[in-house]
Amino acid sequence: MFYGQRNDVNDNEEIQLSLRHYINNNPPAVMTGITVHFPNLEFLCIQEVWQSNYSDLLVEELHKIYPYVIRDVGKYGHGSNYFLLNSGLMFASKYEILDVDFKYFGTSCNQCVYAGKGLLMIKVLLWYEDIRTEKAVVGYLYSTQLQAYQGKVEVNDKQLDDIVKWTKEFRETTKRENDVIAFDILSGDFNFDNISPGDKNVREHELFDVYRDEGRQSPGTDHHWTVGTEMRQHYLYEDEVSTPEGLKKCLESPLLRQQFIVDADIEEASLDTIVYALPKTEISPCGGKRRIDLILYHVDYPVIPTRYNFVTRLTRLTDHIPVTMNFKLPTSFD
């Protein structure tokens, strides 16, 4: 989930190259932390919305704020989901949606073969720079959920290959001659983290050369302010995390955090190592640090993040910690 703050943009290639160099060498100050409330959000990327009756209720509430909602995304068939679950992806926007596409992962295994997981691709209209020439300022947003509990099967790297290919193709086929691209954001449940030894192959994937993760210091190391986002499912209803304030307190404590959040020490992602694993009794450097929910921005269309939060408002309603990012669209710099 993320929010974009509008500023004017310039499509000049030299300015974009200079801006990219500046941001890479002068990381902007970002307000980070754990909060019990969501900030003002202009876009929502939601995963695991599989049940239609609850989806109806959610859409009804979302429409009070977001006029544009995409739901029930997926491809039904014997080869994609056995006619069972859709992708679980939902998207809500305050801005008009210009183009939409979805592609499903053909490499899913285990329980994920019954859910048509894939990549939802959206192009939104932000504003017209010049209505006479229809010069439009647009944004690209992608939402996904990758394979979970794959065991020894190498799946996630192939799905990342697909994402790199599909995002590029969608942008190229939908960009009009007069379009100015303000941002290109990829978010979702990636089901791997940047620290676990078993995730080394995917955290070094070329996707992270194309898209930047604000929470990542380097491959294998996260910034100190990050926390894990995958909760221990058997501890969801404990009293300590029964309120947003209680969950926030637990996330801020290294010892309590690893009691309720999965550790970033996974050797092999499976139900046994993630869902059924017991928390450690001693504080671990990677305790409660399995950060699998990411918001990334394309390095060719850089934004200036101003705020990055882990939100506890939905405690007991989800086994994930929602992530939000506020950003500006840069126009000038010193």
Side-chain angles (χ1 to χ4, degrees):
M1 302 177 181
F2 63 96
Y3 159 73
Q5 180 178 342
R6 254 178 52 173
N7 272 350
D8 293 335
V9 296
N10 193 314
D11 198 33
N12 185 281
E13 185 176 354
E14 292 185 4
I15 290 181
Q16 287 197 351
L17 290 173
S18 298
L19 177 59
R20 192 188 323 161
H21 175 78
Y22 176 82
I23 290 179
N24 288 337
N25 292 279
N26 300 272
V30 183
M31 293 178 58
T32 61
I34 303 160
T35 177
V36 298
H37 296 290
F38 284 97
N40 181 26
L41 302 170
E42 299 194 351
F43 309 101
L44 294 179
C45 295
I46 309 173
Q47 296 80 41
E48 299 189 7
V49 187
W50 282 307
Q51 294 185 323
S52 60
N53 53 339
Y54 291 118
S55 175
D56 292 340
L57 295 173
L58 180 55
V59 170
E60 183 179 346
E61 291 299 314
L62 288 175
H63 270 312
K64 296 177 181 179
I65 301 175
Y66 302 95
Y68 306 99
V69 176
I70 299 173
R71 57 173 298 184
D72 197 20
V73 177
K75 180 177 180 179
Y76 289 85
H78 286 295
S80 55
N81 65 348
Y82 292 91
F83 296 100
L84 293 174
L85 301 175
N86 61 29
S87 68
L89 301 176
M90 179 180 287
F91 175 78
S93 172
K94 293 181 180 179
Y95 293 88
E96 179 182 352
I97 295 171
L98 297 178
D99 290 286
V100 182
D101 198 4
F102 171 79
K103 292 186 180 295
Y104 80 97
F105 297 130
T107 52
S108 296
C109 64
N110 302 339
Q111 76 289 336
C112 288
V113 300
Y114 303 109
K117 291 184 176 181
L119 179 71
L120 174 61
M121 299 171 280
I122 304 110
K123 175 186 176 183
V124 297
L125 172 65
L126 299 177
W127 70 89
Y128 281 105
E129 193 80 357
D130 189 336
I131 191 65
R132 294 170 299 177
T133 62
E134 294 189 348
K135 183 179 181 181
V137 180
V138 301
Y140 283 89
L141 305 106
Y142 307 96
S143 180
T144 190
Q145 183 177 21
L146 274 64
Q147 173 73 41
Y149 316 132
Q150 68 272 17
K152 297 182 181 299
V153 183
E154 294 186 2
V155 177
N156 297 72
D157 57 340
K158 297 175 183 177
Q159 294 178 348
L160 292 179
D161 289 342
D162 288 337
I163 290 175
V164 172
K165 176 185 176 183
W166 294 339
T167 53
K168 183 174 184 290
E169 290 177 347
F170 182 72
R171 192 169 54 250
E172 290 177 347
T173 57
T174 60
K175 184 181 183 298
R176 300 182 310 166
E177 182 180 356
N178 290 335
D179 283 349
V180 178
I181 300 178
F183 57 76
D184 182 308
I185 304 288
L186 169 64
S187 66
D189 176 0
F190 285 74
N191 275 311
F192 64 83
D193 66 74
N194 184 44
I195 301 174
S196 288
D199 292 333
K200 183 177 187 298
N201 184 40
V202 283
R203 70 167 168 262
E204 296 178 353
H205 192 275
E206 66 168 319
L207 178 136
F208 294 100
D209 296 324
V210 179
Y211 286 91
R212 175 167 176 160
D213 174 10
E214 199 65 24
R216 168 191 289 223
Q217 183 172 327
S218 62
T221 304
D222 276 356
H223 286 294
H224 68 89
W225 49 263
T226 64
V227 296
T229 61
E230 184 171 16
M231 297 190 68
R232 298 185 187 274
Q233 296 180 20
H234 292 293
Y235 294 81
L236 287 179
Y237 301 102
E238 297 294 321
D239 290 340
E240 292 91 333
V241 293
S242 62
T243 65
E245 293 76 15
L247 178 56
K248 179 178 184 291
K249 179 180 178 181
C250 290
L251 290 179
E252 292 171 338
S253 164
L255 183 59
L256 290 176
R257 182 174 63 235
Q258 66 185 39
Q259 177 77 22
F260 298 100
I261 305 293
V262 178
D263 299 335
D265 61 355
I266 304 300
E267 296 279 355
E268 180 181 303
S270 68
L271 291 171
D272 288 335
T273 60
I274 296 176
V275 176
Y276 303 125
L278 297 176
K280 296 179 178 63
T281 56
E282 296 181 358
I283 295 179
S284 166
C286 57
K289 297 283 282 185
R290 185 164 171 80
R291 186 175 61 93
I292 64 174
D293 300 281
L294 307 177
I295 301 174
L296 317 173
Y297 59 89
H298 201 293
V299 296
D300 286 343
Y301 307 99
V303 297
I304 299 179
T306 57
R307 181 174 175 179
Y308 199 106
N309 290 117
F310 302 90
V311 185
T312 62
R313 175 52 50 185
L314 302 184
T315 186
R316 287 194 169 183
L317 298 176
T318 174
D319 59 351
H320 290 252
I321 305 297
V323 179
T324 67
M325 185 173 79
N326 296 55
F327 61 85
K328 292 181 181 180
L329 303 180
T331 57
S332 61
F333 43 90
D334 296 328

